[in-house]
Amino acid sequence: MASISRPTPDTVHHSVNNHVALITGAARGIGFATASLFAQHGARVVLVDLHEEDLKSACTKIGRQATYEVCDVSDWGQQEKLFHRVSNAIGPIHLLVCNAAVNPEISLLQRADPAQRMQMDSQVLYNYLADEPETGDPGSQLRRPSTNVFDINVNSVLFGLKLGVHHMKQQGGGRIVVVGSAASYLPVSSQPLYTASKHAVLGLVRSTSQVPEVIQSGISISWVAPWLTLTSMVEGLQATTQPHTLKSTADDVAWAIVAATLAKNSNGKGYWVQGKAISEVEGAYGEVAGRLIVPENRF
């Protein structure tokens, strides 16, 4: 793995000044920190989220460099209109950060009350393996697990990549960074659906970055994989209060996103974030994958 340094403020300003950056899931947490960092260095940022009041508050904190768009990014039609509006009203989208995500399963871990945890553990919304009946009748068929986590965590990225590539190839290129997770690489037994969604995102961005149309259009697609990050998503988790657990802030991840955006030859690269440290991991993964694939002439 290769250690990556944070870029200098001058480098960031030179690279993003007056560029349009669209960030999803930007009303709080990693998305807000990323929008703030881009704006501080001269980018014109468009914050995208579902909740207008939160977006207004976020834009007020950032200042005149920020505007917002209310959008359900799991809805293709809404995202398609979003990109059209931003491109026409503000300007060509140079930078895209696909950050929006949900994690219903973590809500179970945040409950300290044993009775409440037991009740939630019996519901498929929080534990997809739960033997929850479809109706109140214990003899009825099992309730179908929710797939909402995939609609948001995977489909929103799928739509964002397609729209980002479509718009960027018309303007000669651009940078796309997708926010994955440590769960893109590691199994997390307490959050199997969230983990599956982040594994899916990893496969999607890895493969899309290698599509000839993307490379020939001058578009760079990379991703970040944050470890435990102190945002509202993880509030209440015991790990966040343990002094010896290495944790990142939203600002730490925002700097990794900026580093991924600015790095040379960043297409198809993944950046692991743990604490303040940023490491490029796809090079090491590529070496392992290369050893797994046996040449045909060896048989």
Side-chain angles (χ1 to χ4, degrees), residues 239-254:
T240 64
T241 62
Q242 293 174 346
H244 301 299
T245 301
L246 192 58
K247 299 173 279 289
S248 298
T249 66
D251 287 338
D252 293 330
V253 181

Side-chain angles (χ1 to χ4, degrees), residues 157-219:
V157 176
L158 173 70
F159 300 157
L161 287 173
K162 179 177 175 65
L163 290 163
V165 169
H166 172 75
H167 284 265
M168 288 177 179
K169 69 184 180 183
Q170 298 177 38
Q171 65 198 37
R175 298 292 182 107
I176 301 173
V177 180
V178 175
V179 179
S181 168
S184 297
Y185 292 93
L186 303 174
V188 184
S189 60
S190 60
Q191 301 160 57
L193 296 188
Y194 176 79
T195 302
S197 74
K198 290 301 186 177
H199 271 59
V201 164
L202 177 59
L204 179 63
V205 293
R206 265 181 180 159
S207 301
T208 305
S209 70
Q210 303 308 308
V211 172
E213 178 184 359
V214 171
I215 296 170
Q216 293 163 9
S217 298
I219 300 168

Side-chain angles (χ1 to χ4, degrees), residues 36-79:
S36 299
L37 191 54
F38 276 130
Q40 288 168 20
H41 294 88
R44 293 175 289 158
V45 296
V46 182
L47 284 66
V48 180
D49 215 302
L50 270 176
H51 307 291
E52 186 167 15
E53 289 306 312
D54 291 341
L55 284 168
K56 286 180 179 179
S57 175
C59 285
T60 298
K61 293 174 184 175
I62 293 174
R64 61 185 180 84
Q65 293 290 109
T67 187
Y68 71 85
E69 289 281 344
V70 177
C71 177
D72 177 356
V73 290
S74 69
D75 183 298
W76 165 255
Q78 289 191 39
Q79 266 218 66

Side-chain angles (χ1 to χ4, degrees), residues 74 102 104 124-125 128 144-155 193 197:
S74 69
V102 296
V124 295
L125 178 61
Y128 90 98
R144 175 184 180 274
S146 172
T147 55
N148 185 54
V149 67
F150 300 106
D151 294 336
I152 297 173
N153 295 7
V154 182
N155 289 353
L193 296 188
S197 74

Side-chain angles (χ1 to χ4, degrees), residues 84-97:
H84 182 76
R85 284 196 306 270
V86 172
S87 296
N88 283 282
I90 301 176
I93 300 168
H94 303 92
L95 311 168
L96 169 64
V97 180

Side-chain angles (χ1 to χ4, degrees), residues 243-293:
H244 301 299
T245 301
L246 192 58
K247 299 173 279 289
S248 298
T249 66
D251 287 338
D252 293 330
V253 181
W255 271 109
I257 291 169
V258 171
T261 302
L262 272 56
K264 293 181 179 179
N265 303 316
S266 62
N267 187 53
K269 300 293 179 64
Y271 299 87
W272 180 273
V273 189
Q274 194 167 19
K276 295 184 180 299
I278 308 167
S279 303
E280 200 290 305
V281 296
E282 286 300 293
Y285 170 81
E287 292 178 6
V288 173
R291 292 196 295 269
L292 289 174
I293 302 171

